[in-house]
Amino acid sequence: MLAAISFFESALPVPILTDPFLIAAVLMDRARAVRLVILATVASVLGGMMAYFTAAYFLEALLRWMTPGMVTQFESLISNSEASIFLLSLLGAITPVPYTFAAWAIAVLEGSLLVFITASIIGRGFRYSVIGYCVYRFGPYATMYARRYIGLTSVLVIAAVVIFVWLKL
């Protein structure tokens, strides 16, 4: 179930987060925390690849959905260098910005699939490892701390994205 949720959260633009399901799974079976983190990471990266291929192969239909201005803005924010593709993939994998949209943007820009996969494994692996470790280490108290600091974390992530966009303009 965790793998399916993680896959579809990454493959489709649906408002489902894997994180609460990973927390519940680790709380239910803390001995399998590492396995659950790896499962969520692999399924999420596979879902991201599905989103990438969907955008790459259905680019024509996607471009009809997107306005020319949207494509131009993507191109002006992100050069098609490996470093930019890596950074966009990493931001999409770690932050609350929908990972599916990052995969689509990279496919539209014809970014490197290998760079996308590498950054996705690092980003999603980091994100889910932090969650898995905190829940494993602190148990139910981890969710209490997560609720307490979610606002601060969201503000910091949004600030980082704004700074990135501002520097690219």
Side-chain angles (χ1 to χ4, degrees):
M1 183 61 124
L2 178 63
I5 291 167
S6 186
F7 177 84
F8 286 115
E9 182 255 340
S10 297
L12 303 171
V14 293
I16 298 173
L17 289 175
T18 301
D19 307 34
F21 296 98
L22 178 59
I23 290 169
V26 172
L27 284 174
M28 286 175 42
D29 191 358
R30 289 170 68 178
R32 292 181 43 198
V34 172
R35 229 180 285 156
L36 292 167
V37 166
I38 292 169
L39 177 72
T41 301
V42 169
S44 180
V45 172
L46 289 174
M49 290 171 57
M50 176 75 156
Y52 178 96
F53 286 124
T54 301
Y57 290 115
F58 298 106
L59 181 60
E60 188 70 31
L62 186 63
L63 289 176
R64 274 188 259 129
W65 175 75
M66 296 173 69
T67 65
M70 289 170 72
V71 175
T72 304
Q73 285 178 337
F74 275 132
E75 289 172 347
S76 69
L77 290 175
I78 306 294
S79 65
N80 198 2
S81 70
E82 286 189 5
S84 294
I85 297 302
F86 185 85
L87 184 59
L88 179 61
S89 302
L90 199 60
L91 282 172
I94 294 174
T95 66
V97 172
Y99 178 57
T100 308
F101 295 147
W104 286 352
I106 292 164
V108 167
L109 296 172
E110 298 175 352
S112 168
L113 177 61
L114 183 60
V115 171
F116 171 70
I117 293 170
T118 303
S120 295
I121 291 169
I122 293 168
R124 285 293 164 142
F126 174 76
R127 177 178 173 167
Y128 295 148
S129 293
V130 167
I131 292 167
Y133 173 76
C134 289
V135 174
Y136 175 81
R137 175 82 166 86
F138 302 110
Y141 295 112
T143 58
M144 181 179 71
Y145 287 113
R147 282 191 207 118
R148 182 180 298 163
Y149 294 110
I150 192 75
L152 175 64
T153 305
S154 296
V155 168
L156 291 175
V157 166
I158 290 169
V161 170
V162 167
I163 290 169
F164 171 75
V165 170
W166 181 68
L167 289 174
K168 285 295 189 173
L169 293 176

